[in-house]
Amino acid sequence: MKPSPVYQRIADDLRRKITDGTFPPGAQIPTEADLIDRYEVKSRATVRQGLAMLVNEGLIEARRPKGYFVIEHRRLVYRPQAEFRKKPPEVDIFTNLVAEEDGRVPSQDIEVSIIEATGLIRERLKLKEGGLAAARRRVRRLDGVAYNINDSHVALELVQGSEWMHPGDVQRGTDTVLSELIGQQLVYGFHELYLRMPTPSEVHRLNLGAGVPVAEHISTSFDADRNPIQVTVNIVPGDRHVIVFETHRETENHELPRIPWGAP
């Protein structure tokens, strides 16, 4: 059997030491010079190849000029099913989700724009070809660190001139605004979850390291008449979250709405 390349063996050994706690979260990895001596290699490039593998796996990060450090994952519990959880109107969903995170300060950057709906948004909102949508784009942060993206989309004609278009916090909640505009509540959410690598735009918005995957959570909200009202696209980095679902047994037969784009 052909032996593994030297850089692979270096990466494997360091990975084991990270896994078993020899190098705990936040610890500095030995310097390149130390690793050259430890693994008895002649080329600094070989050591860097091994370190690059661990960077791409999301295990370590480079902090120049200090060196490489084990990434400390302080994961946020992400609950997709919390959308309709009862809460005071002024409490934003993100603030509600992190309320139990001791000592962590939530914040968000908000941009509001008018866009030509993408195929994904157009299909789920039943908009016509070339239809315009209002987009409310958020980057949500904890202690200043970007934790996820939350971009909501609705038909422009529904919210144009309303409080929903305000490019800042809407204290009573954008869902409350939508409910007033349509004259009824949003009562049903259909959730899709896709696991993938991030786009360049998502890497930039979330300041993601190399090799970090994301979960794309698409939530479509319906009114009581089964009309799709809002589509929210959440991008959740895999190194910053644990996704939690809660289930319960239905006690009555509830007919679920037919999803127009053919999802199961």
Side-chain angles (χ1 to χ4, degrees), residues 99-260:
E100 298 177 358
E101 297 286 332
D102 294 336
R104 307 181 82 179
V105 180
S107 62
Q108 56 184 345
D109 303 327
I110 302 175
E111 299 177 2
V112 178
S113 60
I114 297 172
I115 63 169
E116 182 175 333
T118 64
L120 183 151
I121 302 302
R122 187 174 63 248
E123 187 177 36
R124 284 155 180 76
L125 288 179
K126 296 184 178 180
L127 298 179
K128 295 179 180 179
E129 186 78 27
L132 295 179
R136 191 173 179 83
R137 304 171 77 239
R138 310 172 184 89
V139 175
R140 291 171 158 173
R141 305 177 186 277
L142 284 177
D143 295 335
V145 177
Y147 258 70
N148 58 58
I149 289 170
N150 177 271
D151 294 346
S152 296
H153 309 80
V154 297
L156 176 61
E157 61 184 3
L158 175 61
V159 296
Q160 193 163 28
S162 76
E163 193 178 357
W164 197 95
M165 298 291 291
H166 174 61
D169 288 323
V170 178
Q171 289 194 349
R172 62 200 189 97
T174 53
D175 282 0
T176 299
V177 174
L178 284 178
S179 295
E180 292 176 356
L181 291 171
I182 65 176
Q184 57 179 304
Q185 290 187 325
L186 304 176
V187 298
Y188 176 77
F190 184 82
H191 301 272
E192 304 165 68
L193 198 61
Y194 302 92
L195 305 179
R196 58 174 174 78
M197 296 306 294
T199 66
S201 173
E202 291 161 355
V203 169
H204 174 72
R205 292 178 71 187
L206 290 169
N207 192 27
L208 297 178
V212 177
V214 297
E216 180 182 27
H217 168 215
I218 304 173
S219 171
T220 304
S221 300
F222 296 78
D223 64 19
D225 296 322
R226 301 184 181 179
N227 298 309
I229 302 299
Q230 179 173 247
V231 176
T232 301
V233 180
N234 302 282
I235 304 299
V236 182
D239 64 342
R240 302 171 199 178
H241 295 80
V242 54
I243 299 176
V244 175
F245 282 91
E246 300 165 5
T247 60
H248 68 279
R249 186 181 301 278
E250 295 286 357
T251 57
E252 301 178 14
N253 291 325
H254 297 286
E255 184 182 355
L256 298 179
R258 182 181 295 276
I259 305 305

